Amino acid sequence: MIKTLRFWIMLLISFAMIGILSIALLSGYFVTKENVVNNNLEINRVYSMKLARLTEEVFNGMQSNLQVKASDIVANINDADKLSDKLGDLLTSSKNFNSLSVVGRDGLVLATSPEIGIVGQILDTPGPQEALYERKPLISEPYEAATGRLLILISTPLWNEKNEYLGFLAGTIYLQEDNIIQNILDEHFYEDGSYVWVVDNKGMLVYHPDPERIGTSVAENEVAQKVLRHENGAQKVTNSEGLEFLAGYTFIKSSKWGVVSQTPYEVSAAPLAGMVNKMLLYALPFVLFLFFLTLILTEKLSSPLRKLAMYSVGLKEKGGLSEEVDIPTWYYEAKQLTETIQEYAKKQEQTVKNFKERSYTDPLTGLRNRRYGEKVIESWTIAKQQFSMIMIDIDHFKSVNDTYGHQVGDDVLKFLAGKMNEVVRDDDVCVRLGGEEFIILLAKTDLQEATTIAERLRMNVSSALCPTNEYLTISSGVGVYDDFNESIEDLFNRVDVALYRAKMEGRNRVIQSESTL
């Protein structure tokens, strides 16, 4: 089935609306997604930078506390009890260290707080050895201490007034137990699965929410590699478990550590589905409004063309004749098409009328032809309408043709046709049957009135000079059709007999046919 213009317009606009809505939702989704991702990356970058700065300030503060207490420790370096008291006071006031110790220049532990069972031992672990070797304030790399704990050592050297090296004062942070780093980094300000982890300059985890992972290497991690290159920034990263995160990272100069703050990617993207649904919900009333507005406008746009199409179908089915319809022409194209088609229809209608007129008209005389006469008689007989017939023949017409030629003969026929038109009424029909045979059909006319008209015609013809420049006579037979059971053939025969009698009785006369009643 061929679809209408209205259907195709609605289909096109529906596709356009769906396309525009889809593009709007998709573009909104991707733009918002990009903004959410970038926002989370920036948040984690800033947060990692803030934690790095805070961690660095804490470490600087811890080293400052050790340096301030160094003179007291040097003054009591030979009194173990006083050293223990001084360390206890420092541990209580600072609350940043898990333990404090004083180590001599030969690595011998002179005092600790709290007592952890290593006083009198010589320390050969990496942290103390590094402090003894460097003889400057430092923060060690994570190492396993003599006690079996994983820790870092923050130390400051001890010098007497003679600038002799006496050893170092050190504070320790137990990485796998409660410590100051955990206090700073343990809880992310977003409770959505975000967390912080810290690596040292070799890629070892110094801090992680999962204590079992502390001390393991993550050097292959893309973010860890950037921190090891002393870079700061933010990016999307996949961790060792195959999970995607949005990570911000900052390098700490003092400790050469890297702080990484990261948020699960799926957590960041989770609000996007709700955002799209909300956008769709907000857009739905406008979409429905536009849809109904489209229905109205589509009807207005397609209505003129639909009516024009139906009008054209009518023209086709009726052969160029169709009733005019009121077609709205409120836009240019419809107006031009309507005017063109209606003008064409009128021309076609006139052409059809002209063809019909020609098919019913005798081309020589301009009178109606036999075909039209038969059509009129048929309609009157079907309606059982009384009518009369005058059958006419030109007297001696053959001699006119023989004497003057057929051109003059045609002029004589035209002359008779003109005289016939002079005596008939509006409802009467003058017909040329062929050659010099003519009939006049008189609507609703009785025999006597028809005879009177026939006599008037005969006298008009005989009293006027014809194209031969002579006087012409005619003979006529007259009959009435008032017996509706009589056939038309019988009517013609009766009138023809009357015409024959007129010729036999001397021509130039009118004879009535015998009635059937």
Side-chain angles (χ1 to χ4, degrees), residues 304-343:
L305 297 182
R306 185 173 64 252
K307 290 183 178 181
L308 201 56
M310 298 306 296
Y311 179 64
S312 300
V313 170
L315 292 177
K316 179 179 178 182
E317 292 178 348
K318 297 179 181 180
L321 297 174
S322 180
E323 294 182 2
E324 289 192 10
V325 293
D326 182 20
I327 300 175
T329 54
W330 58 278
Y331 59 94
Y332 177 78
E333 290 82 357
K335 180 176 182 297
Q336 294 301 315
L337 282 173
T338 300
E339 290 178 355
T340 301
I341 291 179
Q342 286 184 341
E343 183 178 348

Side-chain angles (χ1 to χ4, degrees), residues 443-460:
K444 299 178 182 179
T445 304
D446 58 23
L447 184 61
Q448 188 59 46
E449 188 177 1
T451 303
T452 302
I453 294 173
E455 281 290 343
R456 186 182 309 127
L457 173 61
R458 185 189 65 81
M459 292 174 65
N460 286 353

Side-chain angles (χ1 to χ4, degrees), residues 43 147 268 286 295:
I43 288 174
T147 59
S268 300
F286 297 99
L295 280 176

Side-chain angles (χ1 to χ4, degrees), residues 164-178:
E164 295 174 334
Y165 180 67
L166 303 178
F168 62 85
L169 170 63
T172 57
I173 298 176
Y174 302 157
L175 295 178
Q176 293 173 319
E177 300 177 22
D178 290 339

Side-chain angles (χ1 to χ4, degrees), residues 393 395-396 474-477 495-511:
D393 189 76
D395 297 334
H396 305 296
I474 60 173
S475 297
S476 301
V495 178
D496 188 53
V497 169
L499 174 60
Y500 181 76
R501 282 178 54 200
K503 285 183 172 291
M504 291 300 99
E505 292 179 10
R507 293 183 175 85
N508 192 24
R509 65 191 63 223
V510 175
I511 299 297

